[in-house]
């Protein structure tokens, strides 16, 4: 049953793991870019390039490390996702956390190491059999978003261990607030890029990716 649930969400997760492929490949916030960027101005996302950095972790190694640090938030095994991108340098995999939250990874096809690590929140669709009260829906939405925030904070803390749990939580809340309603919002911190893609009722994706520092950044 879990397998069928993951498959039903594959299209949303595939969108999530490729959401930044049309974003200009530097570290300037999108809000500072021309709003009407043409296809000529758009390039492949940094993590899709052959020379793009990777985390020195496979999906299995990341999961093992995460589950050891956060046993109460344990991730299930990342299952491969089939995509039509035959020539892509990436493979993709996803792990279902609950009915509305998934984690996914874009992996270097050769090394099997992580180029992009993501969390995708897909709001639950109302059922026809049961009409829930507005306050009940609002309460459920609040709980679901709190879970998303907690996982974002945990992901950040795992890659930025110098941050306290409280600071990681603050960073997660800040990213979600600044990226609210934006199809692509990013922040860089050291050798990491944090990305929020808010597709409103279609869901929210958070990504954490490694970046290369230029000489001027060192």
């Amino acid at each position: 049953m879990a397998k069928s649930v993951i498959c039903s969400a594959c299209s949303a997760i595939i969108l999530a793991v490729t959401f930044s492929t049309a974003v200009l490949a530097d570290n300037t916030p999108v809000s500072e870019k021309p709003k009407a960027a043409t296809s000529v101005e758009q390039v492949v996302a940094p993590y899709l390039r052959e020379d793009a950095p990777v985390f020195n972790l496979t999906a299995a190694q990341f999961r093992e490390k995460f589950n050891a640090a956060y046993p109460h938030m344990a991730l299930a095994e990342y299952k491969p996702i089939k995509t039509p991108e035959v020539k892509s340098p990436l493979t993709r995999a996803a792990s279902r956390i609950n009915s509305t939250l998934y984690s996914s990874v874009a992996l270097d096809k050769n090394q099997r190491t992580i180029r992009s690590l993501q969390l995708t929140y897909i709001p639950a669709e109302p059922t026809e059999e049961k009409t829930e009260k507005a306050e009940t829906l609002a309460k459920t939405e609040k709980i679901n978003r709190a879970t998303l925030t907690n996982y974002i904070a945990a992901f950040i803390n795992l890659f930025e261990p110098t941050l306290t749990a409280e600071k990681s939580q603050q960073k997660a809340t800040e990213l979600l607030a600044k990226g609210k309603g934006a199809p692509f919002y990013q922040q860089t911190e050291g050798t990491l890029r944090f990305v929020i893609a808010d597709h409103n009722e279609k869901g929210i994706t958070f990504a954490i990716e490694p970046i290369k520092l230029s000489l001027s950044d060192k």
Side-chain angles (χ1 to χ4, degrees):
M1 183 174 181
K3 183 177 180 180
S4 62
V5 173
I6 288 181
C7 290
S8 67
C10 281
S11 59
I13 294 175
I14 291 171
L15 172 65
V17 297
T18 58
F19 70 88
S20 58
T21 57
V23 176
L24 295 175
D26 62 18
N27 293 329
T28 308
V30 167
S31 58
E32 296 176 22
K33 299 290 184 185
K35 291 185 178 180
T38 66
S39 59
V40 175
E41 294 171 322
Q42 293 175 339
V43 294
V44 176
Y47 67 78
L48 289 175
R49 294 177 174 177
E50 290 184 5
D51 64 343
V54 294
F55 289 120
N56 190 29
L57 287 171
T58 64
Q61 289 169 338
F62 164 73
R63 176 174 171 260
E64 182 180 2
K65 186 175 180 180
F66 183 88
N67 289 353
Y70 300 94
H72 60 294
M73 301 169 69
L75 295 170
E77 181 184 354
Y78 283 86
K79 300 294 179 97
I81 298 175
K82 293 183 179 180
T83 71
E85 301 170 12
V86 179
K87 295 182 180 180
S88 171
L90 302 177
T91 58
R92 312 180 195 285
S95 171
R96 179 177 182 267
I97 296 172
N98 58 36
S99 60
T100 60
L101 187 60
Y102 300 79
S103 176
S104 56
V105 288
L107 302 167
D108 180 275
K109 188 172 286 185
N110 296 320
Q111 300 179 42
R112 309 296 296 178
T113 47
I114 298 172
R115 286 185 183 258
S116 183
L117 173 65
Q118 305 174 351
L119 287 163
T120 298
Y121 168 62
I122 306 171
E125 295 183 4
T127 59
E128 295 181 359
E129 301 91 20
K130 183 178 179 182
T131 303
E132 296 181 279
K133 294 182 179 179
E135 57 266 30
T136 301
L137 292 173
K139 184 178 180 181
T140 300
E141 175 75 0
K142 185 177 180 180
I143 292 172
N144 289 339
R145 284 181 176 262
T147 301
L148 169 64
T149 304
N150 290 340
Y151 271 89
I152 291 176
F155 275 32
I156 291 173
N157 193 231
L158 199 70
F159 287 95
E160 279 286 356
T162 56
L163 293 179
T164 63
E166 183 180 1
K167 289 291 184 182
S168 296
Q169 192 78 20
Q170 289 174 0
K171 172 61 73 174
T173 302
E174 173 196 330
L175 288 167
L176 288 170
K178 290 187 175 181
K180 185 176 177 60
F184 186 92
Y185 171 81
Q186 67 177 343
Q187 278 188 19
T188 59
E189 191 157 325
T191 58
L192 297 173
R193 178 200 341 271
F194 303 131
V195 178
I196 294 290
D198 189 345
H199 300 289
N200 300 311
E201 71 278 357
K202 292 183 179 180
I204 301 172
T205 291
F206 161 79
I208 182 168
E209 301 168 0
I211 58 173
K212 285 185 177 179
L213 293 177
S214 65
L215 291 176
S216 61
D217 294 325
K218 293 180 181 180

